[in-house]
Structures are given as structure tokens and as C-alpha cells.
Amino acid sequence: MNMNTTIVIGAGPAGLTAAYELQKLGSKSVILEADHQVGGISKTVNFKGNRFDIGGHRFFSKVPYINQVWDEILEEDFLVCERLSRILYKEHFFDYPLKPLNALAGLGVQESIHVIFSYVAVKFSSQRKRRDTNFEEWVISRFGYKLYEIFFKTYTEKVWGIPCSSISSDWASQRIKNFSLKEAIINAFSNTGKNKNGEVITTIIEQFKYPRLGPGMMWEHCQRALAKQNNPTLMGERVTTINHRNNKVLDVVCRNEAGEETTYSGEHFISSMPLREMILALRPLPPNNVVEAARKLHYRDYLTVVLTVNREEVFPDNWIYIHTPKVKLGRIQNYKNWSREMVSNPKNTTLGLEYFLWEKDEEWEWADDRLIEMGIRECTEIGLIRPDEVVEGTVVRVKKAYPVYDLNYTTYLKTIESYLEGFENLQTVGRNGLHRYNNQDHSMLTGIYAARNILGANHHIWSVNTEKDYHEEGKLEQTPSGGRLVPIPKFN
Ligand SMILES: Cc1cc2nc3c(=O)[nH]c(=O)nc-3n(C[C@H](O)[C@H](O)[C@H](O)COP(=O)(O)OP(=O)(O)OC[C@H]3O[C@@H](n4cnc5c(N)ncnc54)[C@H](O)[C@@H]3O)c2cc1C
């Protein structure tokens, strides 16, 4: 292998975009991917001609360069979707983003008054003393206790599997940032999707792009564009060992499913594999405190039961949040409402039932048939389908879908980050690579920065998507198609 090559671990959005950016800059790469399909968590699964995502994947970014890359890769295959999503709580559907009249009608007079009083109460007390150390406090101090209880608590605890008081407020500030109840109400009437500073409120965007055949289509196109210029993606190659000496990675060892090992060497290394695994794969192993910090990073796992239902239209939403506590089901996707081409037979509908679990939960080990049975039962219980309408089902399990933001995770991350800073030719990128709750765009951005750093830039990858809005994102320069690196503004 050419020693100038960059070895990229993982063919998800971060790894593929890093290789794509390197290609634009005239530099070579080889991607090593454990799976047999590209796209990582943003892949599209094809089950008997019906396509589905690992949870619906919206394409939305405030970073112009990311939008440019998406358009470049996918060309005319992008659709623009109007979002419709609702919350199901106690047999009522609530529009999400919340609309005051709809919310009042669903809650009834008594509960609405309760909501208003608890909001006013918290506004008065929080003017004096706002506590934001965990998710529960963060939300209550902005929305009041009653709204928190109805619209945040059950769903959030289903997703994370831990009490809201044990979740870091970082998650809220990253996901619900620049958003308040006042703005929700103003937006419900004005429908601008922007806050008082004119910023787009990410959590309530009403329009987004979506590839005609699901998000995997984007990443398959990207892989093909790379292959055309001899930047291959090697499938079924799981990196198990990363050998290093004198602050430099020398090579990585991969194991395929047959147990055969291959060593790949290169000049630079970009890793999007989960940070915990990456640290534990290093040889020699890092100092004890770094290994211990890595072992304390946690991940939430995810499972989707996908049902093909023999009904042309089941509900009009792209997805529904299931707040109802009596079912384990957290969210339901209706893939046909993302793109009509996601279903093979227009008379059917494909529903993606989303369950958030720990690998150690007993349901994780259940046979697919039993999980499908649970899915049908729960969907029937909440009144969405009848069991006799289900034609068939399938199950996809995804380990480490969510990096967990517990109350101590930043301490562990700092230890790991400062250790990794000592490496001259190793960068970590992406969602699990940085243990950051990133969407595709921020995952891609870290890949782009890593590629540009190899060609002489000086981007601090760990800062992406941390401080409210990483101040340079919107200004990210485009790379000229000629392939030479343009000077990139420095910051710090
Ligand atoms: C339910 C859900 C819904 C989401 N919805 C959206 C959305 O609407 N919009 C959006 O933009 N984003 C969404 N996301 C986030 C999006 O999926 C991620 O940001 C994105 O996929 C992260 O890209 P990545 O490349 O960092 O990681 P991944 O997608 O995890 O890819 C990492 C790749 O590395 C490979 N790998 C891991 N270990 C090894 C190893 N040892 N050796 C070789 N290869 C390895 C994996 O197989 C994988 O292919 C959602 C995520 C989830 C879980």
C-alpha cells in the first residue's frame, strides 16, 4: 500500500466524507469497513424491495458546504419533504412542533391551566436562580414542570433508559438549543421556524431534504465516486488493533468474518469507530487512566421492528413520538411518507417501530418473531393498525446507536482527548468517534476538517457541535474543484 495513503476506519457519513474531501484535495485513501454495507447508522436497509432507515434520516444543515457536498454527490436524486410529526400521549395526537390550540384541545382545560401555572411559576423563580446541571432541570427551567412531564420525560427516558435527572444538560442544549416555550408559541402562529435572533430552530424545522431511496443512497453514491478515482472501500474489514510507536500510528490490523487478519499501513489515520473500542484497540495500550475513561463511556442500543402493512395510508405523519408509557415503543416511522419509492407495492405501507434498549436487556436477545409479535401488539394497542393487516415483518438491531451523555461523560472525554492530542497522525471523527450526539452534517464536518488537517489546516475537531454553534461552521470554505487546498481561516 502506498505510504502516502490515509487509512480511514468506518464507511459511515464521517469516514466517507473524509475520504471524499481528501479526494477533492488530490489525496489518496482506503476505507476499512466492518459491515457489508456503507452508510453506518445512516444506511438504508432493503427488505424484499421495501426500504427503511435506522430511524428516519432528515438531511438538514446550516453549513452551506455540507449542503453543497450533498447536492454534488446525489445530484438530482434529492426530494424536499414537508415534515409532519406528532406526539401520541394518552390517546391524543399533539402536533409537534406544538400548536397552542391543538395542545389545549388535547390536554383539556384542567391540564392546560396546570401547564400555564407551572410555566409562570418557573419563570418567576428561574429569573432568580436557574439550575441547569441535568436534563430535567434544563427543561423545567424553560418550559415548567407540567410540560416537562407530558412532553419530555417519558419519551426521553424511553430513549436513554436512565432518569432525566441523570442525563447531562448538554444533550438538551445541543438538541433543543435556541428554543423556548415563548418561541414555540410565536412560531406556531408565525410559522417562520426561526427564533428571535433569526436563527433556524433545528428541532422544529418543517422542511428537509431526503434522498429518493433513503439516506443509504447518498452514501452508496459517495462510495462509488471514491472508487472511480481509486479510493476503495474494503468491506467486511473490522479494525481490531491499532499499532503505534513514538506518537505515530504505524498500521492497523483488520479481521474479517472468516477470522483472517490483514495489516494496513498508511501515512495518516482517521477513525470513526466508537471511541471506547478505538482506545482499547491501541497497542501498546494507553495509560490506565485513559483506558479506564474509555471503559466508562456508555452507548444506548437500538432496535427497529419493520412491519409491512396492507393498507395504502396508515397515518399522514413522517413519524410519531409515542409518549404513552404503557408501550415500550418510542417512535414510529412511516417511510412511505418520506419517499413514495421506499415501498415496493404502492398499496402497502412500511412502518418502522423504534425501540431504544441496552444490549443487556432481555428483549435484545429475543427471536425476531417474538419482537415482531410485540411490535404488532403495541401498534394495535395504540390504535394504529389491526393485526390482520400485517403482511410481514423484519428486525434490525444497531449497537451503539447513541453515545450516552451521563453526568460524568465530559470528564472522561477530556482525559481521552488530551491523550489523543499527543498523536501526530491519528484523528478521530464522527458521532461515536467523538462520543458526540451528532447528526450527519456534524459527523461529516468532522471528517472534512480531519481531511483538511492532513493537508495543512489546523481545525480543532473536538469543538464541532459543542459550544452552541461552532462559530466557524457557517463560514466553512469550499474546496476548489482543481484539488488544491485554499487557506482556511484559523481559530482558537
Ligand atoms: C435513530 C437515529 C436517527 C437519526 N436521525 C438522523 C437524522 O434525521 N438526520 C441526521 O442527519 N442524522 C441522524 N442520525 C445521526 C446519524 O445517523 C449519524 O450522525 C451518522 O450516521 C454518524 O456518522 P458516522 O460516520 O460518525 O458514524 P456511523 O454512522 O456509526 O458509521 C461508523 C461506521 O464505522 C464502522 N465501524 C465501526 N467499528 C469499526 C471497526 N472496528 N472497523 C471498521 N469499521 C468499523 C461501522 O460499521 C459504521 O459503518 C440519527 C441517528 C439515529 C441512531
Side-chain angles (χ1 to χ4, degrees), residues 9-15 32-35 39-42 54-58 237-239 272-274 302 331 354 401-402 430-431 438-440 443:
I9 305 174
L32 305 171
E33 169 54 53
D35 201 352
I41 307 172
S42 306
I54 307 304
H57 272 62
R58 290 185 282 169
E237 292 284 6
R238 177 174 295 281
V239 172
S272 68
M273 66 191 275
Y302 168 100
R331 194 169 54 178
E354 302 183 76
Y402 294 90
R431 179 166 161 118
N438 285 334
N439 271 339
Q440 290 174 101
S443 306

Side-chain angles (χ1 to χ4, degrees), residues 21 65 448 452 472-473 475-479 486-489:
E21 186 70 7
Y65 185 59
I448 290 165
R452 291 181 176 197
E472 209 192 357
E473 286 176 5
K475 295 183 272 172
L476 181 70
E477 287 200 6
Q478 299 174 6
T479 350
V486 291
I488 290 161

Side-chain angles (χ1 to χ4, degrees), residues 58-348:
R58 290 185 282 169
F59 284 67
F60 175 82
S61 183
K62 294 179 190 171
V63 186
Y65 185 59
I66 296 291
N67 285 301
Q68 183 200 310
V69 170
W70 282 338
D71 289 338
E72 236 169 65
I73 296 176
L74 208 58
E75 297 174 339
E76 73 276 14
D77 284 316
F78 248 148
L79 307 174
V80 176
C81 292
E82 297 293 330
R83 163 185 175 157
L84 176 61
S85 61
R86 289 177 296 168
I87 292 172
L88 180 62
Y89 173 72
K90 286 194 182 164
E91 278 83 52
H92 283 286
F93 283 102
F94 293 86
D95 290 331
Y96 185 82
L98 291 176
K99 301 215 166 60
L101 293 180
N102 166 272
L104 292 177
L107 289 173
V109 178
Q110 208 178 342
E111 218 158 11
S112 300
I113 292 172
H114 200 155
V115 163
I116 293 164
F117 272 109
S118 80
Y119 176 68
V120 171
V122 86
K123 278 293 132 188
F124 277 111
S125 60
S126 66
Q127 294 305 328
R128 277 175 261 123
K129 190 171 132 220
R130 177 184 268 188
R131 287 172 45 221
D132 270 354
T133 51
N134 61 50
F135 179 80
E136 184 173 282
E137 288 172 359
W138 194 99
V139 178
I140 291 175
S141 68
R142 282 159 184 80
F143 297 91
Y145 183 80
K146 195 63 192 170
L147 267 188
Y148 157 75
E149 192 190 29
I150 299 172
F151 292 118
F152 293 89
K153 188 175 171 8
T154 37
Y155 182 71
T156 308
E157 291 184 353
K158 276 187 190 181
V159 173
W160 292 106
I162 49 178
C164 288
S165 55
S166 302
I167 300 169
S168 164
S169 56
D170 288 3
W171 185 64
S173 54
Q174 209 177 309
R175 299 304 287 192
I176 327 171
K177 63 186 169 193
N178 64 26
F179 189 49
S180 67
L181 183 61
K182 202 163 93 192
E183 271 150 2
I185 292 170
I186 292 170
N187 189 69
F189 289 112
S190 69
N191 214 21
T192 63
K194 295 187 176 166
N195 70 7
K196 61 178 184 293
N197 302 322
E199 298 161 344
V200 175
I201 305 165
T202 314
T203 189
I204 63 171
I205 51 166
E206 307 245 359
Q207 256 194 358
F208 52 86
K209 289 181 171 180
Y210 189 71
R212 196 166 58 75
L213 297 176
M217 187 183 199
M218 172 73 70
W219 304 114
E220 285 154 22
H221 278 223
C222 185
Q223 178 196 12
R224 256 180 262 138
L226 289 167
K228 260 193 205 152
Q229 295 196 31
N230 290 326
N231 294 306
T233 305
L234 308 182
M235 308 304 292
E237 292 284 6
R238 177 174 295 281
V239 172
T240 52
T241 308
I242 303 174
N243 293 310
H244 64 102
R245 196 187 321 132
N246 299 333
N247 305 326
K248 283 191 97 171
V249 172
L250 305 173
D251 52 47
V252 299
V253 181
C254 285
R255 189 173 302 137
N256 65 17
E257 272 155 20
E260 296 154 349
E261 291 197 334
T262 314
T263 302
Y264 297 92
S265 43
E267 179 69 14
H268 293 276
F269 295 81
I270 297 177
S271 167
S272 68
M273 66 191 275
L275 197 52
R276 184 170 76 196
E277 261 69 271
M278 197 209 74
I279 291 290
L280 299 178
L282 286 164
R283 291 293 176 279
L285 267 178
N288 276 345
N289 65 325
V290 179
V291 170
E292 278 316 301
R295 288 212 167 104
K296 285 183 177 137
L297 295 178
H298 299 293
Y299 303 86
R300 184 79 164 148
D301 308 298
Y302 168 100
L303 178 157
T304 182
V305 173
V306 179
L307 303 178
T308 305
V309 177
N310 181 14
R311 203 198 302 175
E312 209 159 327
E313 302 297 338
V314 177
F315 53 80
D317 312 60
N318 303 97
W319 67 88
I320 300 176
Y321 298 102
I322 312 295
H323 286 222
T324 312
K326 67 179 179 188
V327 293
K328 280 183 183 295
L329 184 51
R331 194 169 54 178
I332 304 185
Q333 301 287 338
N334 186 339
Y335 292 107
K336 194 180 187 179
N337 292 343
W338 291 69
S339 163
R340 302 317 262 185
E341 290 184 65
M342 296 293 275
V343 291
S344 60
N345 178 350
K347 293 208 172 336
N348 290 342

Side-chain angles (χ1 to χ4, degrees), residues 434-460:
L434 294 162
H435 204 83
R436 186 140 298 139
Y437 194 90
N438 285 334
N439 271 339
Q440 290 174 101
D441 62 338
H442 284 119
S443 306
M444 293 167 69
L445 195 56
T446 60
I448 290 165
Y449 283 164
R452 291 181 176 197
N453 283 347
I454 288 173
L455 276 289
N458 183 23
H459 292 288
H460 188 245

